[in-house]
Amino acid sequence: MTADELFPVALAGHVALCIECKTNTRAPIPVRWIQSNSGPGTTLYACPDHAVKLGAGPTPEDALRAP
């Protein structure tokens, strides 16, 4: 075994997978939130380059207003 296999690189801080390019980003931007019927919802993230293209979707902090 090599040293890289024994000691993989660990990224410090908040790291998330971009839903568009499927790469890890150290500057994740929440773009979607999926509500769950049981348990907490799921937040989907994008890298800064793709966040503009995807636009901001609903987040748990968004208030829905009745018409």
Side-chain angles (χ1 to χ4, degrees):
M1 289 190 109
T2 67
D4 291 335
E5 292 172 332
L6 292 172
F7 305 103
V9 175
L11 300 175
H14 189 214
V15 178
L17 186 70
C18 174
I19 62 172
E20 187 70 19
C21 63
K22 309 295 189 261
T23 59
N24 285 323
T25 177
R26 296 181 122 195
I29 299 169
V31 291
R32 299 286 185 273
W33 184 71
I34 302 170
Q35 186 174 1
S36 174
N37 289 334
S38 63
T42 302
T43 303
L44 302 177
Y45 297 93
C47 64
D49 293 334
H50 291 114
V52 175
K53 173 186 165 192
L54 295 170
T59 62
E61 291 81 26
D62 291 339
L64 298 176
R65 299 179 187 194

